[in-house]
Amino acid sequence: MRKSSGRAAYSALMTTTSGTHRDVPAVTVALVTLGCARNDVDSEELAGRLAADGFRLVDDPEDAETVVVNTCGFVEAAKKDSVDTLLAAADLKETGRTRAVVAVGCLAERYGKDLAGSLPEADAVLGFDDYPEIGARLRSILAGEVLQPHTPHDRRRLLPISPVERASSTRAVPGHASEIGTHGPATGPRAVRRRLAGGPMAPLKLASGCDRRCSFCAIPSFRGSFVSRRPADVLGEARWLAGEGVREVFLVSENSTSYGKDLGDLRLLETILPDLAAVEGLDRVRVSYLQPAETRTGLVEAIASTPGVSPYFDLSFQHASPTVLRRMRRFGDPDSFLELLDRVRTLAPMAGVRSNVIVGFPGETDDDVQTLCDFLVAARLDVTGVFGYSDEDGTEAAGLDGKLDADEIRARVARVTDLVEQLTADRAEERVGEHVDVLVEAVEAGLDGPIAEGRADHQGPEVDGTTRLTHGSHAVGDLVAAVVVATEGADLVAEPRR
Protein backbone atom coordinates (compact mmCIF):
# COMPACT_ATOMS: atom_id res chain seq x y z
CA MET A 1 0.00 0.00 0.00
CA ARG A 2 2.71 2.43 0.96
CA LYS A 3 4.86 1.59 -2.05
CA SER A 4 1.90 2.28 -4.32
CA SER A 5 1.38 5.60 -2.56
CA GLY A 6 5.01 6.46 -3.34
CA ARG A 7 4.47 5.91 -7.04
CA ALA A 8 1.30 7.99 -6.96
CA ALA A 9 3.07 10.85 -5.21
CA TYR A 10 5.93 10.72 -7.67
CA SER A 11 3.49 10.66 -10.60
CA ALA A 12 1.57 13.62 -9.19
CA LEU A 13 4.78 15.57 -8.72
CA MET A 14 5.91 14.95 -12.29
CA THR A 15 2.49 15.90 -13.63
CA THR A 16 2.38 19.14 -11.63
CA THR A 17 5.83 20.25 -12.58
CA SER A 18 6.36 19.06 -16.23
CA GLY A 19 20.68 31.30 17.96
CA THR A 20 21.04 28.20 20.07
CA HIS A 21 18.55 26.48 22.37
CA ARG A 22 20.67 24.76 24.96
CA ASP A 23 18.17 25.63 27.74
CA VAL A 24 15.54 23.22 26.35
CA PRO A 25 15.61 19.40 26.25
CA ALA A 26 17.58 18.00 23.34
CA VAL A 27 15.44 16.89 20.43
CA THR A 28 16.58 13.73 18.65
CA VAL A 29 17.08 13.93 14.89
CA ALA A 30 18.18 11.41 12.25
CA LEU A 31 19.54 12.40 8.85
CA VAL A 32 18.94 10.01 5.96
CA THR A 33 21.08 10.80 2.93
CA LEU A 34 20.39 9.74 -0.65
CA GLY A 35 22.35 10.41 -3.82
CA CYS A 36 25.95 11.42 -4.34
CA ALA A 37 28.95 12.26 -2.16
CA ARG A 38 28.10 15.95 -2.48
CA ASN A 39 24.88 15.24 -0.62
CA ASP A 40 26.90 13.43 2.05
CA VAL A 41 28.81 16.65 2.69
CA ASP A 42 25.60 18.67 2.79
CA SER A 43 24.07 16.29 5.34
CA GLU A 44 27.13 16.59 7.55
CA GLU A 45 26.85 20.37 7.39
CA LEU A 46 23.22 20.07 8.51
CA ALA A 47 24.31 17.68 11.26
CA GLY A 48 26.92 20.17 12.45
CA ARG A 49 24.37 22.99 12.55
CA LEU A 50 21.83 20.86 14.41
CA ALA A 51 24.35 19.59 16.95
CA ALA A 52 25.51 23.15 17.62
CA ASP A 53 21.87 24.15 18.09
CA GLY A 54 21.27 21.59 20.81
CA PHE A 55 19.78 18.70 18.83
CA ARG A 56 20.92 15.15 19.59
CA LEU A 57 21.84 13.18 16.48
CA VAL A 58 20.86 9.52 16.29
CA ASP A 59 21.68 6.96 13.63
CA ASP A 60 18.37 5.09 13.45
CA PRO A 61 15.29 6.99 12.23
CA GLU A 62 13.17 4.82 14.55
CA ASP A 63 14.90 6.48 17.49
CA ALA A 64 14.36 10.03 16.23
CA GLU A 65 11.67 12.57 16.96
CA THR A 66 12.51 14.24 13.65
CA VAL A 67 13.69 12.53 10.49
CA VAL A 68 15.36 14.73 7.86
CA VAL A 69 15.66 13.10 4.44
CA ASN A 70 18.30 14.64 2.19
CA THR A 71 16.81 13.76 -1.18
CA CYS A 72 18.26 13.28 -4.64
CA GLY A 73 16.55 14.88 -7.64
CA PHE A 74 18.92 13.94 -10.44
CA VAL A 75 17.21 11.20 -12.46
CA GLU A 76 13.87 9.39 -12.41
CA ALA A 77 15.00 6.42 -10.35
CA ALA A 78 16.57 8.67 -7.72
CA LYS A 79 13.40 10.75 -7.45
CA LYS A 80 11.30 7.65 -6.87
CA ASP A 81 13.74 6.40 -4.26
CA SER A 82 13.55 9.75 -2.47
CA VAL A 83 9.74 9.70 -2.40
CA ASP A 84 9.67 6.11 -1.13
CA THR A 85 12.19 6.97 1.58
CA LEU A 86 10.09 9.91 2.74
CA LEU A 87 7.01 7.69 2.89
CA ALA A 88 8.86 5.02 4.85
CA ALA A 89 9.96 7.69 7.32
CA ALA A 90 6.37 8.97 7.56
CA ASP A 91 5.26 5.47 8.57
CA LEU A 92 7.36 5.85 11.70
CA LYS A 93 4.97 8.55 12.92
CA GLU A 94 2.40 5.78 13.36
CA THR A 95 4.65 3.10 14.82
CA GLY A 96 7.48 4.87 16.65
CA ARG A 97 8.49 8.05 18.40
CA THR A 98 8.86 10.10 15.22
CA ARG A 99 6.86 13.31 15.25
CA ALA A 100 7.99 15.00 12.05
CA VAL A 101 9.47 14.09 8.67
CA VAL A 102 11.20 16.81 6.66
CA ALA A 103 12.41 16.77 3.06
CA VAL A 104 15.57 18.67 2.15
CA GLY A 105 18.10 18.28 -0.64
CA CYS A 106 17.90 18.37 -4.41
CA LEU A 107 14.38 16.97 -4.90
CA ALA A 108 13.01 19.40 -2.30
CA GLU A 109 14.91 22.33 -3.81
CA ARG A 110 13.93 21.41 -7.35
CA TYR A 111 10.19 20.87 -6.81
CA GLY A 112 9.39 22.70 -3.57
CA LYS A 113 5.67 23.36 -3.19
CA ASP A 114 4.80 20.80 -5.88
CA LEU A 115 6.54 18.08 -3.87
CA ALA A 116 4.74 19.24 -0.74
CA GLY A 117 1.39 19.16 -2.53
CA SER A 118 1.90 15.65 -3.90
CA LEU A 119 3.39 14.27 -0.68
CA PRO A 120 1.34 15.45 2.31
CA GLU A 121 2.97 12.75 4.44
CA ALA A 122 6.03 15.03 4.71
CA ASP A 123 5.61 17.70 7.38
CA ALA A 124 7.78 20.20 5.54
CA VAL A 125 9.74 20.67 2.32
CA LEU A 126 12.73 22.95 2.87
CA GLY A 127 15.05 24.50 0.30
CA PHE A 128 18.75 25.28 0.44
CA ASP A 129 18.06 28.78 1.76
CA ASP A 130 16.62 27.17 4.91
CA TYR A 131 19.88 25.37 5.76
CA PRO A 132 21.47 28.19 7.83
CA GLU A 133 18.37 28.16 10.10
CA ILE A 134 17.69 24.44 10.02
CA GLY A 135 17.43 24.16 13.82
CA ALA A 136 14.85 26.92 14.05
CA ARG A 137 12.89 25.39 11.19
CA LEU A 138 12.71 21.98 12.88
CA ARG A 139 11.67 23.48 16.21
CA SER A 140 8.87 25.38 14.50
CA ILE A 141 7.63 22.22 12.81
CA LEU A 142 7.69 20.28 16.09
CA ALA A 143 5.74 23.12 17.72
CA GLY A 144 2.95 22.56 15.19
CA GLU A 145 3.69 25.43 12.85
CA VAL A 146 3.01 24.80 9.17
CA LEU A 147 5.90 26.13 7.12
CA GLN A 148 5.25 27.27 3.60
CA PRO A 149 7.33 25.24 1.15
CA HIS A 150 9.56 27.32 -1.03
CA THR A 151 8.70 28.17 -4.60
CA PRO A 152 11.28 26.63 -6.94
CA HIS A 153 13.31 28.99 -9.05
CA ASP A 154 16.38 28.83 -11.25
CA ARG A 155 19.23 29.23 -8.76
CA ARG A 156 21.59 30.32 -11.52
CA ARG A 157 19.80 33.67 -11.44
CA LEU A 158 20.60 34.23 -7.76
CA LEU A 159 24.31 34.85 -8.34
CA PRO A 160 26.14 37.39 -10.53
CA ILE A 161 26.72 36.35 -14.12
CA SER A 162 30.41 37.13 -13.77
CA PRO A 163 32.10 34.29 -11.84
CA VAL A 164 34.59 36.64 -10.13
CA GLU A 165 31.73 38.63 -8.57
CA ARG A 166 30.12 35.62 -6.88
CA ALA A 167 32.35 35.60 -3.80
CA SER A 168 30.51 38.66 -2.46
CA SER A 169 27.12 36.91 -2.51
CA THR A 170 25.51 35.97 0.81
CA ARG A 171 23.26 33.34 -0.78
CA ALA A 172 23.34 29.95 1.00
CA VAL A 173 25.46 27.33 -0.78
CA PRO A 174 25.15 23.87 0.85
CA GLY A 175 28.41 22.38 2.04
CA HIS A 176 30.28 25.70 2.00
CA ALA A 177 29.57 27.05 5.48
CA SER A 178 32.56 27.69 7.73
CA GLU A 179 33.27 29.27 11.07
CA ILE A 180 36.34 30.49 12.92
CA GLY A 181 36.48 29.40 16.53
CA THR A 182 38.37 27.63 19.27
CA HIS A 183 37.22 24.21 18.08
CA GLY A 184 38.69 24.57 14.62
CA PRO A 185 42.12 23.56 13.37
CA ALA A 186 45.26 25.37 14.44
CA THR A 187 44.96 27.78 11.54
CA GLY A 188 42.13 28.86 9.33
CA PRO A 189 38.38 28.31 9.46
CA ARG A 190 36.65 25.01 10.14
CA ALA A 191 33.66 23.75 8.20
CA VAL A 192 30.34 23.60 9.98
CA ARG A 193 30.27 19.84 9.77
CA ARG A 194 29.81 16.73 11.88
CA ARG A 195 30.69 13.31 10.51
CA LEU A 196 27.76 10.96 10.16
CA ALA A 197 29.71 7.99 8.79
CA GLY A 198 32.90 6.52 10.11
CA GLY A 199 35.64 5.03 8.02
CA PRO A 200 38.97 6.32 6.75
CA MET A 201 37.56 8.12 3.67
CA ALA A 202 35.52 11.31 3.58
CA PRO A 203 34.26 13.52 0.75
CA LEU A 204 35.45 17.12 0.78
CA LYS A 205 33.58 19.70 -1.26
CA LEU A 206 35.64 21.83 -3.63
CA ALA A 207 32.78 23.72 -5.24
CA SER A 208 29.06 23.69 -5.93
CA GLY A 209 26.98 24.35 -9.01
CA CYS A 210 27.88 24.38 -12.68
CA ASP A 211 28.14 26.93 -15.48
CA ARG A 212 27.94 24.40 -18.30
CA ARG A 213 24.71 23.94 -20.23
CA CYS A 214 24.64 20.24 -21.10
CA SER A 215 21.30 19.71 -22.82
CA PHE A 216 20.36 16.64 -20.75
CA CYS A 217 21.22 17.98 -17.29
CA ALA A 218 18.98 19.93 -14.91
CA ILE A 219 21.50 20.17 -12.05
CA PRO A 220 22.58 23.81 -12.65
CA SER A 221 18.98 24.99 -12.40
CA PHE A 222 18.58 23.79 -8.83
CA ARG A 223 22.21 23.71 -7.64
CA GLY A 224 23.00 27.10 -9.16
CA SER A 225 26.00 28.63 -10.86
CA PHE A 226 29.51 27.45 -10.18
CA VAL A 227 30.95 28.63 -6.83
CA SER A 228 34.40 27.60 -5.59
CA ARG A 229 35.21 27.26 -1.92
CA ARG A 230 38.16 29.34 -0.85
CA PRO A 231 41.42 27.38 -0.47
CA ALA A 232 41.66 28.27 3.23
CA ASP A 233 38.25 26.68 3.81
CA VAL A 234 39.14 23.55 1.86
CA LEU A 235 42.48 23.15 3.65
CA GLY A 236 40.95 23.88 7.03
CA GLU A 237 38.32 21.22 6.54
CA ALA A 238 40.95 18.74 5.33
CA ARG A 239 42.91 19.29 8.56
CA TRP A 240 39.75 18.81 10.60
CA LEU A 241 38.91 15.59 8.76
CA ALA A 242 42.44 14.27 9.31
CA GLY A 243 41.98 14.99 13.01
CA GLU A 244 38.81 12.88 12.87
CA GLY A 245 40.80 9.89 11.63
CA VAL A 246 40.28 10.33 7.89
CA ARG A 247 43.14 8.98 5.76
CA GLU A 248 41.74 9.81 2.30
CA VAL A 249 39.81 12.88 1.19
CA PHE A 250 37.67 12.66 -1.95
CA LEU A 251 37.38 16.09 -3.59
CA VAL A 252 33.85 16.47 -4.96
CA SER A 253 31.96 19.06 -7.01
CA GLU A 254 29.81 19.23 -10.12
CA ASN A 255 32.88 20.17 -12.17
CA SER A 256 36.27 20.05 -10.48
CA THR A 257 38.12 21.29 -13.58
CA SER A 258 36.49 24.72 -13.11
CA TYR A 259 37.76 25.12 -9.55
CA GLY A 260 39.17 28.58 -8.98
CA LYS A 261 37.82 30.33 -12.07
CA ASP A 262 35.52 32.49 -9.91
CA LEU A 263 38.43 33.24 -7.58
CA GLY A 264 40.55 34.59 -10.42
CA ASP A 265 42.81 31.56 -10.92
CA LEU A 266 41.69 28.69 -13.14
CA ARG A 267 44.82 26.74 -12.16
CA LEU A 268 44.01 26.87 -8.45
CA LEU A 269 43.37 23.11 -8.25
CA GLU A 270 46.92 22.40 -9.39
CA THR A 271 48.14 24.79 -6.68
CA ILE A 272 46.08 23.41 -3.82
CA LEU A 273 46.68 19.69 -4.44
CA PRO A 274 50.23 19.65 -2.98
CA ASP A 275 49.01 21.57 0.07
CA LEU A 276 46.18 19.08 0.63
CA ALA A 277 48.51 16.12 0.20
CA ALA A 278 50.83 17.64 2.83
CA VAL A 279 48.11 17.74 5.52
CA GLU A 280 49.36 15.70 8.46
CA GLY A 281 47.45 12.43 8.82
CA LEU A 282 46.22 12.24 5.22
CA ASP A 283 47.62 9.49 3.02
CA ARG A 284 45.62 10.13 -0.14
CA VAL A 285 43.85 12.94 -1.96
CA ARG A 286 41.51 11.96 -4.79
CA VAL A 287 39.84 14.25 -7.33
CA SER A 288 36.41 13.51 -8.81
CA TYR A 289 34.44 14.64 -11.84
CA LEU A 290 36.69 16.13 -14.48
CA GLN A 291 35.27 17.57 -17.68
CA PRO A 292 37.38 16.17 -20.57
CA ALA A 293 37.10 19.39 -22.60
CA GLU A 294 38.47 21.39 -19.65
CA THR A 295 41.14 18.94 -18.47
CA ARG A 296 44.30 20.93 -19.16
CA THR A 297 47.79 19.49 -19.34
CA GLY A 298 48.91 21.12 -16.08
CA LEU A 299 46.06 19.52 -14.17
CA VAL A 300 46.83 16.08 -15.64
CA GLU A 301 50.45 16.51 -14.55
CA ALA A 302 49.45 17.60 -11.04
CA ILE A 303 47.12 14.63 -10.49
CA ALA A 304 49.51 12.14 -12.07
CA SER A 305 52.70 13.21 -10.35
CA THR A 306 51.98 14.92 -7.02
CA PRO A 307 53.01 12.65 -4.11
CA GLY A 308 49.98 11.80 -2.00
CA VAL A 309 47.51 12.51 -4.82
CA SER A 310 45.97 9.39 -6.33
CA PRO A 311 46.61 9.06 -10.07
CA TYR A 312 42.88 8.74 -10.61
CA PHE A 313 40.93 10.37 -13.43
CA ASP A 314 37.14 10.54 -13.24
CA LEU A 315 36.49 11.77 -16.78
CA SER A 316 32.90 12.46 -17.78
CA PHE A 317 32.92 11.47 -21.46
CA GLN A 318 29.13 10.82 -21.69
CA HIS A 319 29.50 9.57 -25.28
CA ALA A 320 32.07 9.36 -28.07
CA SER A 321 30.07 10.20 -31.20
CA PRO A 322 30.77 13.83 -32.16
CA THR A 323 27.20 14.15 -33.46
CA VAL A 324 25.65 13.00 -30.20
CA LEU A 325 28.06 15.08 -28.14
CA ARG A 326 27.10 18.23 -30.06
CA ARG A 327 23.41 17.56 -29.36
CA MET A 328 24.37 17.11 -25.72
CA ARG A 329 26.11 20.53 -25.92
CA ARG A 330 29.39 18.90 -25.07
CA PHE A 331 32.68 18.71 -26.94
CA GLY A 332 34.98 15.94 -28.06
CA ASP A 333 35.43 12.92 -30.27
CA PRO A 334 37.20 9.55 -30.01
CA ASP A 335 40.56 10.94 -31.18
CA SER A 336 40.68 13.81 -28.66
CA PHE A 337 39.52 11.55 -25.84
CA LEU A 338 42.12 8.90 -26.65
CA GLU A 339 44.79 11.59 -26.87
CA LEU A 340 43.84 12.73 -23.36
CA LEU A 341 44.04 9.16 -22.07
CA ASP A 342 47.43 8.75 -23.71
CA ARG A 343 48.72 11.87 -21.88
CA VAL A 344 47.43 10.46 -18.61
CA ARG A 345 49.04 7.05 -19.06
CA THR A 346 52.32 8.48 -20.32
CA LEU A 347 52.67 10.29 -16.99
CA ALA A 348 51.10 7.55 -14.83
CA PRO A 349 50.94 4.16 -16.58
CA MET A 350 48.95 2.59 -13.73
CA ALA A 351 46.46 5.46 -13.40
CA GLY A 352 42.84 4.63 -12.75
CA VAL A 353 40.32 6.01 -15.23
CA ARG A 354 36.55 5.84 -14.90
CA SER A 355 33.71 7.44 -16.82
CA ASN A 356 29.96 7.49 -17.42
CA VAL A 357 28.10 7.28 -20.72
CA ILE A 358 24.50 7.97 -21.72
CA VAL A 359 22.93 5.62 -24.27
CA GLY A 360 19.75 6.29 -26.23
CA PHE A 361 20.06 10.08 -26.44
CA PRO A 362 17.60 11.67 -28.90
CA GLY A 363 18.87 11.25 -32.44
CA GLU A 364 21.42 8.56 -31.57
CA THR A 365 21.87 6.12 -34.44
CA ASP A 366 23.23 2.58 -34.61
CA ASP A 367 26.43 4.04 -36.05
CA ASP A 368 26.70 6.37 -33.05
CA VAL A 369 26.41 3.41 -30.68
CA GLN A 370 29.10 1.59 -32.63
CA THR A 371 31.36 4.64 -32.39
CA LEU A 372 30.86 4.60 -28.63
CA CYS A 373 31.61 0.87 -28.41
CA ASP A 374 34.75 1.20 -30.53
CA PHE A 375 35.95 4.02 -28.30
CA LEU A 376 35.35 2.02 -25.11
CA VAL A 377 37.36 -0.88 -26.49
CA ALA A 378 40.27 1.42 -27.32
CA ALA A 379 40.05 3.43 -24.09
CA ARG A 380 40.69 0.55 -21.64
CA LEU A 381 38.80 2.26 -18.82
CA ASP A 382 38.78 0.70 -15.37
CA VAL A 383 35.08 1.32 -14.81
CA THR A 384 32.29 2.75 -16.98
CA GLY A 385 28.80 3.56 -15.74
CA VAL A 386 26.15 3.05 -18.43
CA PHE A 387 22.88 4.98 -18.20
CA GLY A 388 19.84 5.01 -20.42
CA TYR A 389 18.61 8.44 -21.48
CA SER A 390 15.42 9.80 -19.92
CA ASP A 391 13.83 13.24 -20.25
CA GLU A 392 14.44 15.66 -17.41
CA ASP A 393 12.09 18.56 -16.65
CA GLY A 394 13.29 21.89 -17.97
CA THR A 395 16.16 20.57 -20.06
CA GLU A 396 16.79 21.31 -23.70
CA ALA A 397 17.03 17.60 -24.51
CA ALA A 398 13.45 17.01 -23.35
CA GLY A 399 12.31 19.01 -26.38
CA LEU A 400 14.62 17.47 -28.97
CA ASP A 401 13.32 15.40 -31.84
CA GLY A 402 14.52 11.89 -32.64
CA LYS A 403 13.39 10.32 -29.36
CA LEU A 404 13.94 6.56 -29.10
CA ASP A 405 11.32 4.31 -27.55
CA ALA A 406 11.96 2.77 -24.15
CA ASP A 407 12.50 -0.75 -25.49
CA GLU A 408 15.18 0.44 -27.91
CA ILE A 409 16.95 2.39 -25.17
CA ARG A 410 16.92 -0.66 -22.90
CA ALA A 411 18.34 -2.81 -25.71
CA ARG A 412 21.16 -0.35 -26.33
CA VAL A 413 21.92 -0.08 -22.61
CA ALA A 414 22.11 -3.88 -22.42
CA ARG A 415 24.45 -4.02 -25.41
CA VAL A 416 26.86 -1.41 -24.05
CA THR A 417 26.64 -2.80 -20.51
CA ASP A 418 27.58 -6.30 -21.68
CA LEU A 419 30.58 -4.86 -23.49
CA VAL A 420 31.61 -2.75 -20.51
CA GLU A 421 31.43 -5.69 -18.11
CA GLN A 422 33.84 -7.66 -20.28
CA LEU A 423 36.16 -4.70 -20.79
CA THR A 424 36.19 -3.96 -17.06
CA ALA A 425 37.11 -7.55 -16.26
CA ASP A 426 39.83 -7.50 -18.92
CA ARG A 427 41.25 -4.23 -17.55
CA ALA A 428 41.31 -5.67 -14.02
CA GLU A 429 43.23 -8.72 -15.27
CA GLU A 430 45.84 -6.40 -16.75
CA ARG A 431 46.58 -5.29 -13.19
CA VAL A 432 47.66 -8.74 -11.99
CA GLY A 433 51.25 -8.35 -10.80
CA GLU A 434 50.90 -4.61 -10.08
CA HIS A 435 52.04 -3.19 -6.76
CA VAL A 436 49.18 -1.37 -5.04
CA ASP A 437 48.60 0.43 -1.76
CA VAL A 438 45.29 -0.66 -0.26
CA LEU A 439 43.40 1.55 2.19
CA VAL A 440 41.55 -0.90 4.43
CA GLU A 441 37.90 0.06 4.87
CA ALA A 442 36.38 -3.10 6.34
CA VAL A 443 37.52 -6.19 8.23
CA GLU A 444 35.17 -9.15 8.51
CA ALA A 445 35.43 -12.59 10.06
CA GLY A 446 36.30 -15.41 7.67
CA LEU A 447 36.69 -19.18 7.93
CA ASP A 448 40.48 -18.87 7.94
CA GLY A 449 40.70 -15.63 9.87
CA PRO A 450 39.82 -11.95 9.37
CA ILE A 451 39.27 -10.73 5.81
CA ALA A 452 40.37 -7.17 5.05
CA GLU A 453 38.93 -5.24 2.12
CA GLY A 454 39.70 -1.79 0.83
CA ARG A 455 40.62 0.23 -2.24
CA ALA A 456 43.76 0.74 -4.27
CA ASP A 457 44.75 4.11 -5.73
CA HIS A 458 42.86 3.49 -8.97
CA GLN A 459 39.60 2.63 -7.18
CA GLY A 460 37.27 5.44 -6.16
CA PRO A 461 34.75 5.08 -3.31
CA GLU A 462 31.71 2.81 -3.81
CA VAL A 463 31.64 2.65 -7.61
CA ASP A 464 35.02 1.39 -8.80
CA GLY A 465 35.39 -2.03 -7.22
CA THR A 466 37.42 -3.11 -4.20
CA THR A 467 40.61 -4.97 -3.33
CA ARG A 468 40.58 -7.93 -0.92
CA LEU A 469 43.76 -8.78 0.95
CA THR A 470 44.60 -12.50 1.08
CA HIS A 471 46.03 -12.65 4.57
CA GLY A 472 47.56 -10.69 7.40
CA SER A 473 46.24 -8.85 10.43
CA HIS A 474 44.91 -5.46 9.36
CA ALA A 475 42.72 -2.76 10.89
CA VAL A 476 40.39 -0.26 9.26
CA GLY A 477 42.47 2.72 8.20
CA ASP A 478 45.67 0.78 7.52
CA LEU A 479 47.44 1.49 4.25
CA VAL A 480 48.81 -1.88 3.12
CA ALA A 481 51.43 -2.37 0.42
CA ALA A 482 50.36 -5.36 -1.68
CA VAL A 483 50.64 -7.05 -5.07
CA VAL A 484 47.64 -8.01 -7.19
CA VAL A 485 47.39 -11.80 -7.58
CA ALA A 486 43.86 -12.34 -8.95
CA THR A 487 40.67 -10.61 -10.09
CA GLU A 488 36.93 -11.04 -9.63
CA GLY A 489 35.30 -8.85 -12.25
CA ALA A 490 36.29 -5.28 -11.39
CA ASP A 491 37.46 -6.37 -7.94
CA LEU A 492 41.04 -7.33 -7.17
CA VAL A 493 42.64 -9.85 -4.84
CA ALA A 494 46.03 -8.77 -3.48
CA GLU A 495 48.71 -10.30 -1.32
CA PRO A 496 50.45 -8.05 1.23
CA ARG A 497 54.08 -7.42 0.36
CA ARG A 498 56.76 -8.31 2.86
Side-chain angles (χ1 to χ4, degrees), residues 311 344-345 348-353 382 427 430-431 434-435 457-458:
V344 166
R345 288 168 175 149
M350 306 306 167
V353 185
D382 289 275
R427 179 66 181 126
E430 292 178 14
R431 294 192 178 275
E434 280 188 15
H435 286 194
D457 266 309
H458 71 278

Side-chain angles (χ1 to χ4, degrees), residues 300-376:
V300 172
E301 293 173 349
I303 294 174
S305 60
T306 302
V309 176
S310 290
Y312 173 83
F313 293 82
D314 177 10
L315 293 163
S316 175
F317 291 122
Q318 301 298 356
H319 212 283
S321 163
T323 302
V324 174
L325 287 168
R326 282 195 296 271
R327 286 173 69 86
M328 289 179 169
R329 293 201 179 277
R330 297 176 67 88
F331 304 94
D333 54 62
D335 289 342
S336 64
F337 291 164
L338 291 173
E339 181 182 352
L340 172 58
L341 293 174
D342 184 62
R343 291 203 303 272
V344 166
R345 288 168 175 149
T346 297
L347 291 168
M350 306 306 167
V353 185
R354 79 168 327 273
S355 191
N356 295 310
V357 297
I358 297 173
V359 181
F361 193 79
E364 182 189 67
T365 66
D366 289 336
D367 287 344
D368 293 326
V369 178
Q370 188 60 53
T371 297
L372 173 60
C373 290
D374 291 343
F375 164 72
L376 293 173

Side-chain angles (χ1 to χ4, degrees), residues 201-223:
M201 187 285 300
L204 173 55
K205 190 171 277 192
L206 272 179
S208 289
C210 187
D211 287 340
R212 298 185 69 89
R213 293 296 182 266
C214 301
S215 64
F216 56 83
C217 184
I219 289 176
S221 66
F222 56 88
R223 275 291 183 178

Side-chain angles (χ1 to χ4, degrees), residues 393-426:
D393 299 327
T395 63
E396 179 186 351
L400 291 178
D401 58 10
K403 296 287 178 62
L404 303 178
D405 64 47
D407 289 341
E408 178 61 26
I409 292 175
R410 281 192 291 269
R412 294 186 182 190
V413 168
R415 172 188 171 186
V416 178
T417 298
D418 287 346
L419 173 64
V420 161
E421 288 177 353
Q422 183 60 55
L423 294 173
T424 297
D426 292 345

Side-chain angles (χ1 to χ4, degrees), residues 32 125 141 143 149 217 307 315 381 415 473:
V32 179
V125 175
I141 295 163
C217 184
L315 293 163
L381 305 178
R415 172 188 171 186
S473 178

